Amino acid sequence: SQRRFWEPEFPELDGEDGLNFAGWAKKLTGAATISVGSVGLNSDFGGAFVGKGSQTSPLDQLITRMEKDEFDLIAVGRTLLSDAQWVQKVHDGRMDELHGFNIEDLQTLA
């Protein structure tokens, strides 16, 4: 788990296109890995603790990293709270219909 799936875990070791934690785990062990962190959103979960939402963010970097086999699966969290049809929309290529994360949607969990 990390706040932003696109950030390298050890940038000093592997430069600009560095591996995230899931990428390193897969590289070192060969095991299947799942990455997570602000998928489809422009800010990390920390903002939710101070009442901030997030806008949508393109999935290009996610797709590129998955095509490079950096990790095998991606976990999606906050965006599903605000857009229950997110997976279907991505599957159908309806990226223009995706919603960001609305902080008020956290109240639906209580």
Side-chain angles (χ1 to χ4, degrees):
S1 177
Q2 59 194 71
R3 288 187 172 196
R4 298 167 198 96
F5 77 88
W6 62 88
E7 288 186 347
E9 192 66 30
F10 306 105
E12 65 279 3
L13 295 178
D14 55 8
E16 189 175 312
D17 290 326
L19 298 172
N20 69 15
F21 188 69
W24 273 104
K26 183 173 182 172
K27 180 177 182 174
L28 296 174
T29 69
T33 60
I34 303 171
S35 190
V36 65
S38 302
V39 177
L41 299 173
N42 69 348
S43 63
D44 65 49
F45 185 70
F49 290 111
V50 293
K52 294 182 181 176
S54 296
Q55 300 300 312
T56 60
S57 180
L59 298 176
D60 300 348
Q61 203 171 55
L62 171 65
I63 294 166
T64 298
R65 288 180 176 266
M66 291 194 83
E67 287 174 346
K68 289 182 181 178
D69 290 327
E70 183 174 324
F71 39 83
D72 301 287
L73 294 171
I74 192 73
V76 180
R78 286 177 296 145
T79 195
L80 289 173
L81 295 174
S82 295
D83 190 354
Q85 297 300 312
W86 188 88
V87 174
Q88 188 64 50
K89 290 174 184 177
V90 170
H91 179 269
D92 295 344
R94 297 181 290 146
M95 305 305 187
D96 58 323
E97 296 179 26
L98 298 177
H99 299 282
F101 168 69
N102 185 335
I103 190 66
E104 287 80 26
D105 293 332
L106 278 178
Q107 295 174 4
T108 64
L109 298 177

